[in-house]
Amino acid sequence: MAVLRDDFLWGGATAANQLEGAWDVDGKGPSVPDMCTGGSIKDPKCVTTSIHPDRRYPSHEAIDFYHRYEDDIALFAEMGFKCFRMSINWTRIFPSGTEEEPNEKGLAFYDRVFACCKKYGIEPLVTISHYELPYGLVEKYNGWEGREVIECFLRYCRVIFDRYQNVVKYWLTFNEINSGTTPLGAVLSTGTIRGFEGPASMVPDRRQERFQALHHMFLASALAVRYARDHYPHFRIGSMNIMTTAYPLTPNPDDVIATQLHNNMMIWFCSDVQVRGAYPFYTGRFFEENGIVIKKEEGDDEILRQGTVDFYACSYYMSNCITAKEERGGRVGNIIKGVPNPYLQASDWGWQIDPQGLRYSLNEIYARYQIPVMVVENGLGAYDAREEDGMVHDTYRIDYLRRHIEQMKEAVRDGVDLIGYTPWGCIDIVSASTGEMAKRYGFIYVNKFDDGSGDLSRERKESFYWYKKVIETNGEVL
Ligand code: BG6
Protein backbone atom coordinates (compact mmCIF):
# COMPACT_ATOMS: atom_id res chain seq x y z
CA MET A 1 0.00 0.00 0.00
CA ALA A 2 1.27 3.46 -0.87
CA VAL A 3 2.38 5.64 2.05
CA LEU A 4 0.59 8.71 0.77
CA ARG A 5 -3.19 9.00 0.65
CA ASP A 6 -4.95 8.10 -2.60
CA ASP A 7 -6.21 11.63 -3.12
CA PHE A 8 -2.81 13.22 -2.42
CA LEU A 9 -2.58 16.56 -4.19
CA TRP A 10 0.54 16.29 -6.33
CA GLY A 11 1.27 19.35 -8.39
CA GLY A 12 3.37 22.46 -8.74
CA ALA A 13 3.34 26.07 -7.54
CA THR A 14 3.70 29.54 -9.06
CA ALA A 15 2.80 33.17 -8.38
CA ALA A 16 1.15 35.52 -10.85
CA ASN A 17 3.77 38.26 -10.79
CA GLN A 18 6.57 35.78 -11.40
CA LEU A 19 5.06 34.14 -14.47
CA GLU A 20 2.16 36.00 -16.07
CA GLY A 21 3.85 39.05 -17.59
CA ALA A 22 1.31 41.27 -19.43
CA TRP A 23 1.76 43.65 -16.51
CA ASP A 24 -0.30 46.47 -18.04
CA VAL A 25 -2.53 44.50 -20.40
CA ASP A 26 -6.34 44.43 -20.35
CA GLY A 27 -6.64 47.02 -17.61
CA LYS A 28 -4.14 45.59 -15.12
CA GLY A 29 -2.61 48.10 -12.71
CA PRO A 30 0.91 48.08 -11.20
CA SER A 31 1.65 45.97 -8.16
CA VAL A 32 4.74 46.19 -5.94
CA PRO A 33 6.73 43.61 -7.95
CA ASP A 34 6.02 45.59 -11.13
CA MET A 35 8.06 48.37 -9.52
CA CYS A 36 11.03 46.06 -8.85
CA THR A 37 14.01 45.81 -11.19
CA GLY A 38 15.88 42.64 -12.06
CA GLY A 39 18.94 41.72 -10.01
CA SER A 40 21.12 38.76 -9.13
CA ILE A 41 22.80 37.29 -6.10
CA LYS A 42 25.58 39.91 -6.42
CA ASP A 43 23.52 42.85 -7.54
CA PRO A 44 20.32 43.22 -5.48
CA LYS A 45 17.00 43.98 -7.11
CA CYS A 46 15.76 47.50 -6.49
CA VAL A 47 12.39 48.98 -5.69
CA THR A 48 11.54 52.13 -7.63
CA THR A 49 8.72 54.62 -7.11
CA SER A 50 8.14 55.04 -10.84
CA ILE A 51 9.04 53.03 -13.92
CA HIS A 52 12.50 53.98 -15.25
CA PRO A 53 12.50 53.36 -19.01
CA ASP A 54 16.19 52.41 -19.02
CA ARG A 55 15.84 49.69 -16.37
CA ARG A 56 14.59 46.12 -16.65
CA TYR A 57 11.48 45.05 -14.74
CA PRO A 58 11.25 41.26 -15.02
CA SER A 59 7.59 40.95 -13.99
CA HIS A 60 6.52 42.99 -17.00
CA GLU A 61 7.04 40.11 -19.38
CA ALA A 62 8.01 37.30 -16.99
CA ILE A 63 7.40 34.08 -18.95
CA ASP A 64 4.23 35.38 -20.59
CA PHE A 65 1.92 32.81 -19.02
CA TYR A 66 -0.85 35.32 -19.70
CA HIS A 67 -0.75 34.37 -23.36
CA ARG A 68 0.65 30.84 -23.04
CA TYR A 69 -1.33 29.38 -20.13
CA GLU A 70 -3.03 26.76 -22.30
CA ASP A 71 0.22 25.19 -23.44
CA ASP A 72 1.72 25.42 -19.97
CA ILE A 73 -1.24 23.80 -18.24
CA ALA A 74 -1.22 21.08 -20.91
CA LEU A 75 2.39 20.35 -19.89
CA PHE A 76 1.39 20.22 -16.22
CA ALA A 77 -1.36 17.79 -17.18
CA GLU A 78 1.17 15.68 -19.07
CA MET A 79 3.13 15.33 -15.82
CA GLY A 80 -0.10 14.18 -14.17
CA PHE A 81 -0.68 17.20 -11.91
CA LYS A 82 -3.67 16.84 -9.65
CA CYS A 83 -3.24 20.37 -8.35
CA PHE A 84 -1.88 23.68 -9.60
CA ARG A 85 -0.99 26.34 -7.06
CA MET A 86 -1.26 29.77 -8.66
CA SER A 87 -2.20 33.22 -7.52
CA ILE A 88 -4.66 35.77 -8.75
CA ASN A 89 -3.02 39.08 -9.57
CA TRP A 90 -4.99 41.49 -7.38
CA THR A 91 -4.28 44.38 -9.79
CA ARG A 92 -5.90 42.53 -12.71
CA ILE A 93 -9.13 42.66 -10.73
CA PHE A 94 -8.72 46.00 -8.94
CA PRO A 95 -5.99 47.95 -10.78
CA SER A 96 -5.15 50.40 -8.00
CA GLY A 97 -6.76 48.43 -5.20
CA THR A 98 -9.39 51.05 -4.38
CA GLU A 99 -11.89 50.80 -7.26
CA GLU A 100 -15.49 49.98 -6.40
CA GLU A 101 -16.06 47.78 -9.44
CA PRO A 102 -13.81 44.94 -10.65
CA ASN A 103 -12.10 44.84 -14.02
CA GLU A 104 -14.06 42.33 -16.11
CA LYS A 105 -11.15 41.51 -18.42
CA GLY A 106 -9.04 40.46 -15.46
CA LEU A 107 -11.79 38.22 -14.14
CA ALA A 108 -12.29 36.72 -17.58
CA PHE A 109 -8.62 35.73 -17.76
CA TYR A 110 -8.92 33.58 -14.65
CA ASP A 111 -12.19 32.12 -15.95
CA ARG A 112 -10.13 30.84 -18.85
CA VAL A 113 -7.30 29.56 -16.66
CA PHE A 114 -9.67 27.68 -14.35
CA ALA A 115 -11.60 26.25 -17.30
CA CYS A 116 -8.34 24.95 -18.68
CA CYS A 117 -7.44 23.35 -15.31
CA LYS A 118 -10.87 21.77 -15.20
CA LYS A 119 -10.45 20.33 -18.66
CA TYR A 120 -7.50 18.33 -17.34
CA GLY A 121 -9.01 17.55 -13.95
CA ILE A 122 -6.46 19.76 -12.18
CA GLU A 123 -7.58 21.25 -8.86
CA PRO A 124 -6.50 24.89 -8.55
CA LEU A 125 -5.07 26.04 -5.23
CA VAL A 126 -5.30 29.81 -5.27
CA THR A 127 -3.18 32.24 -3.30
CA ILE A 128 -5.26 35.39 -3.02
CA SER A 129 -2.29 37.66 -2.35
CA HIS A 130 1.13 36.36 -3.31
CA TYR A 131 3.58 39.26 -2.94
CA GLU A 132 1.43 41.27 -5.40
CA LEU A 133 0.02 44.17 -3.39
CA PRO A 134 -1.43 46.91 -5.62
CA TYR A 135 1.11 49.73 -5.73
CA GLY A 136 -1.81 52.16 -5.44
CA LEU A 137 -2.36 50.90 -1.89
CA VAL A 138 1.29 51.54 -1.05
CA GLU A 139 1.00 55.11 -2.26
CA LYS A 140 -2.30 55.79 -0.57
CA TYR A 141 -2.07 53.89 2.72
CA ASN A 142 1.56 52.78 3.14
CA GLY A 143 0.31 49.31 2.27
CA TRP A 144 -1.20 47.20 5.00
CA GLU A 145 -0.32 49.75 7.67
CA GLY A 146 -3.58 51.41 6.63
CA ARG A 147 -6.65 49.78 8.16
CA GLU A 148 -8.56 50.81 5.01
CA VAL A 149 -6.76 48.07 3.08
CA ILE A 150 -8.80 45.46 4.94
CA GLU A 151 -11.93 46.58 3.12
CA CYS A 152 -10.08 46.74 -0.23
CA PHE A 153 -8.95 43.15 0.28
CA LEU A 154 -12.40 41.98 1.31
CA ARG A 155 -13.98 43.56 -1.75
CA TYR A 156 -11.44 41.66 -3.84
CA CYS A 157 -12.12 38.40 -1.95
CA ARG A 158 -15.89 38.73 -2.26
CA VAL A 159 -15.56 39.26 -6.01
CA ILE A 160 -13.29 36.29 -6.64
CA PHE A 161 -15.10 33.98 -4.20
CA ASP A 162 -18.43 34.77 -5.85
CA ARG A 163 -17.04 34.44 -9.34
CA TYR A 164 -15.01 31.25 -8.91
CA GLN A 165 -17.14 29.51 -6.28
CA ASN A 166 -17.73 26.50 -8.52
CA VAL A 167 -14.21 26.07 -9.81
CA VAL A 168 -11.93 26.79 -6.84
CA LYS A 169 -12.17 25.03 -3.52
CA TYR A 170 -8.69 25.51 -1.98
CA TRP A 171 -7.50 29.04 -1.08
CA LEU A 172 -4.60 30.63 0.77
CA THR A 173 -5.21 34.18 1.94
CA PHE A 174 -1.58 35.40 1.99
CA ASN A 175 1.63 33.91 0.74
CA GLU A 176 4.22 33.39 3.49
CA ILE A 177 2.44 35.74 5.88
CA ASN A 178 5.29 35.48 8.40
CA SER A 179 7.66 37.22 5.96
CA GLY A 180 6.06 40.37 7.42
CA THR A 181 8.10 39.83 10.58
CA THR A 182 11.32 40.45 8.60
CA PRO A 183 12.60 43.70 7.02
CA LEU A 184 12.32 42.30 3.46
CA GLY A 185 8.69 41.47 4.20
CA ALA A 186 7.96 45.20 3.90
CA VAL A 187 8.70 44.97 0.17
CA LEU A 188 7.28 41.53 -0.46
CA SER A 189 4.21 41.45 1.68
CA THR A 190 3.17 44.30 3.99
CA GLY A 191 3.88 46.99 1.39
CA THR A 192 5.02 49.40 4.11
CA ILE A 193 7.39 51.09 1.69
CA ARG A 194 5.69 54.35 0.71
CA GLY A 195 8.29 56.59 -0.97
CA PHE A 196 11.07 54.00 -0.69
CA GLU A 197 13.42 53.66 -3.63
CA GLY A 198 16.57 51.53 -3.48
CA PRO A 199 17.86 47.98 -3.14
CA ALA A 200 15.18 45.75 -1.61
CA SER A 201 17.80 44.41 0.80
CA MET A 202 18.31 47.94 2.18
CA VAL A 203 14.68 48.68 2.99
CA PRO A 204 14.47 50.36 6.44
CA ASP A 205 13.56 48.01 9.29
CA ARG A 206 10.32 49.66 10.53
CA ARG A 207 8.88 47.02 12.83
CA GLN A 208 6.08 49.10 14.26
CA GLU A 209 4.63 49.57 10.78
CA ARG A 210 5.07 45.94 9.78
CA PHE A 211 3.49 44.46 12.89
CA GLN A 212 0.57 46.88 12.64
CA ALA A 213 0.26 45.83 9.00
CA LEU A 214 0.28 42.18 10.04
CA HIS A 215 -2.56 42.87 12.46
CA HIS A 216 -4.60 44.20 9.56
CA MET A 217 -3.68 41.21 7.42
CA PHE A 218 -4.81 38.84 10.18
CA LEU A 219 -8.14 40.64 10.36
CA ALA A 220 -8.54 40.66 6.58
CA SER A 221 -7.78 36.95 6.40
CA ALA A 222 -10.20 36.14 9.24
CA LEU A 223 -12.97 38.21 7.68
CA ALA A 224 -12.42 36.51 4.31
CA VAL A 225 -12.68 33.13 6.04
CA ARG A 226 -15.90 34.23 7.72
CA TYR A 227 -17.41 35.40 4.44
CA ALA A 228 -16.49 32.10 2.82
CA ARG A 229 -17.93 30.07 5.71
CA ASP A 230 -21.21 31.96 5.44
CA HIS A 231 -21.51 31.67 1.68
CA TYR A 232 -19.35 28.78 0.48
CA PRO A 233 -18.98 26.19 3.21
CA HIS A 234 -17.28 23.80 0.81
CA PHE A 235 -14.21 26.11 0.57
CA ARG A 236 -11.01 25.15 2.37
CA ILE A 237 -8.87 28.12 3.35
CA GLY A 238 -5.32 27.83 4.61
CA SER A 239 -2.62 29.80 6.38
CA MET A 240 0.61 29.85 4.36
CA ASN A 241 3.97 30.33 6.06
CA ILE A 242 7.69 30.23 5.40
CA MET A 243 8.96 27.24 7.29
CA THR A 244 12.68 27.80 7.72
CA THR A 245 13.33 25.43 10.55
CA ALA A 246 15.91 26.86 12.95
CA TYR A 247 18.18 24.73 15.11
CA PRO A 248 20.35 25.98 17.97
CA LEU A 249 23.90 26.36 16.63
CA THR A 250 25.22 24.64 19.78
CA PRO A 251 23.63 22.93 22.79
CA ASN A 252 24.60 25.96 24.88
CA PRO A 253 21.33 26.92 26.64
CA ASP A 254 21.87 30.51 25.46
CA ASP A 255 21.61 29.29 21.87
CA VAL A 256 18.63 27.09 22.69
CA ILE A 257 16.70 29.99 24.23
CA ALA A 258 17.68 32.31 21.36
CA THR A 259 16.36 29.70 18.93
CA GLN A 260 13.11 29.33 20.81
CA LEU A 261 12.53 33.09 20.82
CA HIS A 262 13.40 33.26 17.12
CA ASN A 263 11.04 30.43 16.22
CA ASN A 264 8.24 31.87 18.32
CA MET A 265 8.15 35.17 16.49
CA MET A 266 9.41 34.28 13.02
CA ILE A 267 8.02 30.80 12.48
CA TRP A 268 4.94 30.42 14.68
CA PHE A 269 3.48 33.82 15.51
CA CYS A 270 1.41 34.31 12.36
CA SER A 271 0.13 30.75 12.08
CA ASP A 272 -0.69 30.72 15.80
CA VAL A 273 -2.99 33.69 15.15
CA GLN A 274 -4.49 32.22 12.00
CA VAL A 275 -4.92 28.65 13.23
CA ARG A 276 -5.74 29.26 16.91
CA GLY A 277 -7.53 32.57 16.53
CA ALA A 278 -5.66 34.74 19.05
CA TYR A 279 -2.32 36.44 19.64
CA PRO A 280 -0.03 33.92 21.37
CA PHE A 281 1.21 34.54 24.93
CA TYR A 282 4.84 35.24 23.92
CA THR A 283 3.97 38.29 21.81
CA GLY A 284 3.37 40.45 24.91
CA ARG A 285 6.99 40.53 25.99
CA PHE A 286 8.32 40.74 22.43
CA PHE A 287 6.17 43.78 21.64
CA GLU A 288 7.07 45.46 24.91
CA GLU A 289 10.80 44.94 24.52
CA ASN A 290 10.72 46.15 20.93
CA GLY A 291 8.56 49.18 21.53
CA ILE A 292 5.74 47.82 19.32
CA VAL A 293 2.20 48.91 20.10
CA ILE A 294 -0.57 47.26 18.08
CA LYS A 295 -3.57 49.50 17.57
CA LYS A 296 -6.65 47.29 17.91
CA GLU A 297 -10.29 48.23 17.66
CA GLU A 298 -13.09 46.77 19.68
CA GLY A 299 -14.21 43.52 18.16
CA ASP A 300 -10.84 42.68 16.57
CA ASP A 301 -10.17 39.80 18.96
CA GLU A 302 -13.58 38.34 18.18
CA ILE A 303 -12.92 38.57 14.43
CA LEU A 304 -9.66 36.66 14.85
CA ARG A 305 -11.37 34.02 16.97
CA GLN A 306 -14.05 33.46 14.37
CA GLY A 307 -11.82 33.41 11.31
CA THR A 308 -9.49 30.49 11.89
CA VAL A 309 -8.22 28.50 8.92
CA ASP A 310 -8.92 24.93 7.80
CA PHE A 311 -5.41 23.83 6.98
CA TYR A 312 -1.77 24.82 7.37
CA ALA A 313 0.45 25.31 4.33
CA CYS A 314 4.10 26.19 4.09
CA SER A 315 7.07 26.65 1.87
CA TYR A 316 10.11 24.62 2.81
CA TYR A 317 13.47 25.09 1.13
CA MET A 318 16.05 24.99 3.86
CA SER A 319 16.88 25.21 7.54
CA ASN A 320 19.34 27.37 9.41
CA CYS A 321 20.90 27.86 12.82
CA ILE A 322 20.53 30.46 15.52
CA THR A 323 23.15 31.58 18.00
CA ALA A 324 22.97 33.98 20.92
CA LYS A 325 26.51 35.15 20.15
CA GLU A 326 27.63 37.72 17.69
CA GLU A 327 26.74 36.25 14.32
CA ARG A 328 29.52 34.33 12.66
CA GLY A 329 30.00 33.51 9.03
CA GLY A 330 27.29 35.78 7.64
CA ARG A 331 23.57 35.21 7.50
CA VAL A 332 21.89 32.77 5.17
CA GLY A 333 18.31 32.10 4.30
CA ASN A 334 15.21 32.60 2.31
CA ILE A 335 13.79 35.80 3.86
CA ILE A 336 14.09 34.41 7.40
CA LYS A 337 17.79 34.26 8.06
CA GLY A 338 20.19 32.54 10.43
CA VAL A 339 23.78 31.35 10.58
CA PRO A 340 25.13 28.43 8.53
CA ASN A 341 24.85 24.88 9.79
CA PRO A 342 28.27 23.15 9.58
CA TYR A 343 26.59 19.82 8.77
CA LEU A 344 24.73 20.98 5.68
CA GLN A 345 25.61 21.87 2.13
CA ALA A 346 24.07 24.83 0.40
CA SER A 347 22.74 25.70 -3.05
CA ASP A 348 24.51 28.25 -5.24
CA TRP A 349 22.38 30.89 -3.50
CA GLY A 350 23.47 29.77 -0.04
CA TRP A 351 20.23 28.00 0.85
CA GLN A 352 21.16 25.03 3.03
CA ILE A 353 19.77 21.74 1.89
CA ASP A 354 18.15 19.80 4.72
CA PRO A 355 15.58 17.15 3.72
CA GLN A 356 15.31 15.83 7.28
CA GLY A 357 14.41 19.32 8.37
CA LEU A 358 11.22 18.86 6.39
CA ARG A 359 10.25 15.74 8.35
CA TYR A 360 11.14 17.55 11.56
CA SER A 361 9.08 20.62 10.58
CA LEU A 362 6.04 18.63 9.51
CA ASN A 363 6.05 16.86 12.86
CA GLU A 364 6.37 20.15 14.73
CA ILE A 365 3.53 21.70 12.75
CA TYR A 366 1.19 18.80 13.21
CA ALA A 367 2.00 18.43 16.90
CA ARG A 368 1.10 22.08 17.37
CA TYR A 369 -2.08 22.32 15.31
CA GLN A 370 -3.51 18.87 14.42
CA ILE A 371 -5.02 20.13 11.18
CA PRO A 372 -4.21 18.97 7.63
CA VAL A 373 -0.85 20.16 6.32
CA MET A 374 0.28 20.89 2.80
CA VAL A 375 3.77 21.64 1.48
CA VAL A 376 3.02 24.24 -1.16
CA GLU A 377 6.60 25.20 -2.05
CA ASN A 378 9.83 23.23 -2.10
CA GLY A 379 12.57 23.02 -4.68
CA LEU A 380 16.08 23.78 -5.77
CA GLY A 381 16.96 27.05 -7.45
CA ALA A 382 19.88 26.22 -9.73
CA TYR A 383 21.77 27.35 -12.82
CA ASP A 384 20.48 25.04 -15.56
CA ALA A 385 22.06 24.62 -18.95
CA ARG A 386 20.88 22.72 -21.97
CA GLU A 387 23.31 20.03 -23.00
CA GLU A 388 24.26 18.85 -26.47
CA ASP A 389 21.07 16.84 -26.88
CA GLY A 390 19.12 20.04 -26.20
CA MET A 391 17.86 18.86 -22.82
CA VAL A 392 18.52 20.05 -19.29
CA HIS A 393 19.73 17.03 -17.31
CA ASP A 394 18.88 18.35 -13.88
CA THR A 395 19.86 15.32 -11.83
CA TYR A 396 20.79 17.66 -8.92
CA ARG A 397 17.14 18.84 -8.82
CA ILE A 398 15.82 15.29 -8.97
CA ASP A 399 18.13 14.40 -6.11
CA TYR A 400 16.93 17.35 -4.02
CA LEU A 401 13.25 16.61 -4.61
CA ARG A 402 13.63 12.87 -4.11
CA ARG A 403 15.28 13.37 -0.74
CA HIS A 404 12.56 15.75 0.36
CA ILE A 405 9.73 13.49 -0.76
CA GLU A 406 11.36 10.60 1.12
CA GLN A 407 11.29 12.71 4.27
CA MET A 408 7.71 13.77 3.62
CA LYS A 409 6.79 10.10 3.54
CA GLU A 410 8.64 9.58 6.81
CA ALA A 411 6.53 12.35 8.32
CA VAL A 412 3.38 10.64 7.08
CA ARG A 413 4.56 7.40 8.67
CA ASP A 414 5.12 9.41 11.84
CA GLY A 415 1.40 10.23 11.67
CA VAL A 416 1.28 13.67 10.06
CA ASP A 417 -1.87 14.36 8.01
CA LEU A 418 -0.18 15.59 4.84
CA ILE A 419 -2.60 16.31 2.01
CA GLY A 420 -0.48 17.64 -0.82
CA TYR A 421 2.81 18.74 -2.31
CA THR A 422 3.30 21.44 -4.91
CA PRO A 423 7.01 22.04 -5.62
CA TRP A 424 7.96 25.60 -6.38
CA GLY A 425 8.37 27.03 -9.84
CA CYS A 426 7.15 23.92 -11.66
CA ILE A 427 8.02 25.89 -14.77
CA ASP A 428 11.01 28.30 -14.76
CA ILE A 429 9.88 31.72 -13.56
CA VAL A 430 11.37 34.97 -12.26
CA SER A 431 13.02 34.65 -8.84
CA ALA A 432 11.25 36.54 -6.05
CA SER A 433 14.35 37.38 -4.05
CA THR A 434 16.72 38.39 -6.83
CA GLY A 435 14.43 39.14 -9.77
CA GLU A 436 16.48 36.93 -12.08
CA MET A 437 15.61 34.13 -14.51
CA ALA A 438 18.97 32.42 -13.95
CA LYS A 439 17.73 30.91 -10.69
CA ARG A 440 15.57 28.15 -12.10
CA TYR A 441 13.33 25.66 -10.31
CA GLY A 442 11.22 24.21 -13.10
CA PHE A 443 10.49 20.80 -14.54
CA ILE A 444 9.98 22.84 -17.69
CA TYR A 445 12.78 24.98 -19.08
CA VAL A 446 11.85 28.40 -20.39
CA ASN A 447 14.09 29.91 -23.02
CA LYS A 448 14.41 33.34 -21.42
CA PHE A 449 17.50 35.07 -20.02
CA ASP A 450 18.35 37.98 -17.80
CA ASP A 451 19.55 40.20 -20.62
CA GLY A 452 16.03 40.00 -22.04
CA SER A 453 16.95 37.55 -24.82
CA GLY A 454 15.23 34.22 -25.44
CA ASP A 455 12.15 33.21 -27.41
CA LEU A 456 10.19 31.97 -24.36
CA SER A 457 9.88 28.49 -25.83
CA ARG A 458 9.34 25.66 -23.35
CA GLU A 459 11.32 22.37 -23.07
CA ARG A 460 10.81 19.39 -20.80
CA LYS A 461 13.78 18.81 -18.46
CA GLU A 462 14.90 15.40 -17.25
CA SER A 463 13.09 16.11 -13.97
CA PHE A 464 9.83 16.43 -15.94
CA TYR A 465 9.87 12.72 -16.78
CA TRP A 466 11.03 11.80 -13.29
CA TYR A 467 8.24 13.77 -11.59
CA LYS A 468 5.64 12.30 -13.94
CA LYS A 469 6.64 8.85 -12.70
CA VAL A 470 6.55 9.99 -9.09
CA ILE A 471 2.98 11.19 -9.48
CA GLU A 472 1.94 8.12 -11.46
CA THR A 473 3.10 5.88 -8.61
CA ASN A 474 1.82 8.16 -5.83
CA GLY A 475 5.37 8.71 -4.62
CA GLU A 476 6.34 5.03 -4.53
CA VAL A 477 8.91 5.22 -7.33
CA LEU A 478 11.40 7.94 -6.55
C1 BG6 B 1 9.15 31.87 -1.60
C2 BG6 B 1 8.14 32.68 -2.35
O1 BG6 B 1 9.69 32.64 -0.59
O2 BG6 B 1 10.26 31.39 -2.27
C3 BG6 B 1 8.20 32.57 -3.85
O3 BG6 B 1 6.84 32.39 -1.92
C4 BG6 B 1 9.64 32.48 -4.28
O4 BG6 B 1 7.49 33.63 -4.42
C5 BG6 B 1 10.25 31.24 -3.68
O5 BG6 B 1 9.85 32.53 -5.65
C6 BG6 B 1 11.65 30.96 -4.12
O6 BG6 B 1 12.43 32.08 -3.89
P1 BG6 B 1 13.35 32.71 -5.02
O7 BG6 B 1 13.82 33.95 -4.43
O8 BG6 B 1 14.40 31.72 -5.27
O9 BG6 B 1 12.45 32.93 -6.19
Side-chain angles (χ1 to χ4, degrees), residues 8 102 183 271 306 331 368:
F8 192 76
S271 52
Q306 289 183 1
R331 283 162 72 76
R368 199 172 183 106

Side-chain angles (χ1 to χ4, degrees), residues 408-437:
M408 249 168 38
K409 287 168 63 181
E410 288 301 321
V412 170
R413 288 195 189 100
D414 294 334
V416 173
D417 182 13
L418 185 70
I419 60 171
Y421 177 64
T422 56
W424 180 250
C426 45
I427 179 166
D428 292 346
I429 54 182
V430 176
S431 154
S433 56
T434 60
E436 66 193 322
M437 270 308 293

